Amino acid sequence: MLNDQGRPTRPETFQAHTPWTFTGNRALRVEEPLLFEIGRAETTGVDLPEPEGVPPRLGAHRRTTPIDLPGLTEPEAMRHYVRLSRSNYSIDTGLYPLGSCTMKHNPRLNEKMARLPGFSDAHPLQPLSTVRGAVEVIAELGRWLCALTGMQAVAMSPKAGAHGELCGMMAIKAAIRARGEERNVVLVPESAHGTNPATAALIGMTVRDVPARADGTVDVEEVKRLLGPDVAAIMLTNPNTCGIFEPEVAAIAEAVHAAGAYFYADGANFNAIVGKVLPGDLGVDAMHINLHKTFSTPHGGGGPGAGPVVLSGRLAPFAPLPFVRMENGTPVLVETPAATRDGETPFGRMTAFHGQMGMFTRALAYMLSHGSDGMRQASEDAVLAANYVRAGLADLMTLPFPNHPSMHEVLFDDRFLKDTGVTTLDFAKAMIDEGYHPMTMYFPLVVHGAMLIEPTESESKASLDLFVATLRDLVMAAQRGDTARFTQAPRFAPRRRLDETRAARSPKLKWDRPAPIPPAVAAE
């Protein structure tokens, strides 16, 4: 819902001198209506003959009224989606500093590989004999993931990070039940990703919070105090959402194991430590990996994603179906309980098919083209870029945890905006006017007015310098009292700021077709 209670909602109404246009377009930026507002039911881009000799099988359920979908000519449809694509901001457009949810550069080589007909056209119901190459890609990618994490097994089918969390925690639950125990408590630090407690609750566990220390890290002594015979696991994000590598992670794992529980690591920030640390050496039992984040393929709008889960030897027998087993050097897809062997006790099946083939192909192409040294370099560059931004802004913006170096993302709080009349939200909206997608705001929750910036490894020094200079200019503008630049932002975006209060209290969730324009009547 747009704010129409005082603040202008369209760029052309912000400045009185802005010239009005008949079409609503501004120069070559076309005002884009909805498909329903473009199309007409009597129009179509294709002509198909009415099917003959096909008896209706829907009976009384057959539709008798027009479906009322918009019909468009081919040029109308093409222009609509091209114009929408031009309104989309992505990593291909500019720096995308969204912390904790990296928009990583996707080399076009990866895209080319994913579009090879043998991969892009593969259907999940094809006979296995016709998709041997696809199964080999799944197996090879799995081997890379195990090698990069120091783990023994991998479940490839989870479709996203949170789905991977669910997979790992269900494996933990199955392992505990296999021991004849019932444990129903999961420890979740305050610095963990927000999906962690939701995942634990989804499988019937009770969440026990682990408070963060003043420096943003997890205290191993506090974990020991909270451990007990009812604790099934800890879900710990490392590097955590404050952008800090947990210094006591190995001691935490040791304490968790001593209590008979498992260590689930949220691997969403794995891109900071690839090639530098083996999570298996830290005592991790299960960890999901966001392929779409760590190994290219920018994501957005809800997909596509892929969240394979690597498992320790203790949890490997409980990996869900389907999984790939090597037999005489050949990968074999195990899809049913009947095909399992002694020692393989999968907890069940999470997805209908085998995973996201496009994501798998892109990730493997990224790994093979970079090599182990290239992936380690990418991690080092991501950490370097985050600390370069930190060093460039630390004298103007405030760091909540100045004594810890940043990993792949740098976290600021809002103390530098105190008494300026500018909030974190205002600051982020002003970034839009400067051509930057805002950083993550108000997360992690342990920091007031949090601003989490993740520049990624793929930005040049010139790009980072311009970003730092832009934020420095914004900070100085706020501190010298130029509040209108912030509270009225974004001023140059296609749409002005939403009235978030009205949108939350009176959401308008359904589009209503406007009344047709009556035909012109000639004057008598």
Side-chain angles (χ1 to χ4, degrees), residues 169-346:
M169 291 304 295
M170 290 180 74
I172 288 173
K173 190 173 184 178
I176 289 174
R177 287 186 173 174
R179 296 184 342 213
E181 299 181 26
E182 286 292 337
R183 294 171 176 246
N184 59 1
V185 173
V186 175
L187 306 184
V188 181
E190 288 181 338
S191 57
H193 275 131
T195 49
N196 291 178
T199 297
L202 191 63
I203 62 171
M205 298 284 186
T206 299
V207 174
R208 189 174 292 166
D209 293 333
V210 182
R213 287 192 290 209
D215 66 354
T217 63
V218 178
D219 184 352
V220 63
E221 296 303 322
E222 181 65 13
V223 172
K224 289 179 180 177
R225 188 184 69 79
L226 295 172
L227 284 169
D230 57 345
V231 175
I234 187 171
M235 297 184 76
L236 185 144
T237 304
N238 192 33
N240 66 28
T241 54
C242 300
I244 301 171
F245 188 88
E246 293 288 348
E248 296 182 313
V249 61
I252 292 171
E254 184 178 351
V256 168
H257 290 158
Y262 292 91
F263 181 9
Y264 185 92
D266 185 306
N269 294 335
F270 186 49
N271 63 311
I273 57 175
V274 175
K276 308 293 289 185
V277 177
L278 292 176
D281 288 352
L282 301 177
V284 170
D285 290 302
M287 184 180 84
H288 74 268
I289 300 170
N290 292 347
L291 291 186
H292 50 277
K293 170 178 177 180
T294 305
F295 303 109
S296 79
T297 308
H299 65 297
V309 179
V310 289
L311 302 167
S312 66
R314 300 200 302 166
L315 293 181
F318 305 98
L321 295 167
F323 59 83
V324 176
R325 180 201 299 137
M326 298 302 293
E327 294 183 0
N328 300 321
T330 301
V332 174
L333 197 64
V334 179
E335 293 207 73
T336 64
T340 59
R341 293 175 173 174
D342 289 343
E344 296 173 344
T345 54

Side-chain angles (χ1 to χ4, degrees), residues 494-514:
R495 292 291 181 270
R496 302 299 304 280
R497 192 183 302 196
L498 301 180
D499 184 332
E500 296 186 350
T501 302
R502 288 186 64 209
R505 293 181 176 176
S506 305
K508 185 177 180 181
L509 305 177
K510 182 176 179 297
W511 179 77
D512 296 320
R513 184 181 292 280

Side-chain angles (χ1 to χ4, degrees), residues 2-7 9 499 502:
L2 296 174
N3 165 36
D4 58 1
Q5 301 299 307
R7 284 185 297 212
T9 61
D499 184 332
R502 288 186 64 209

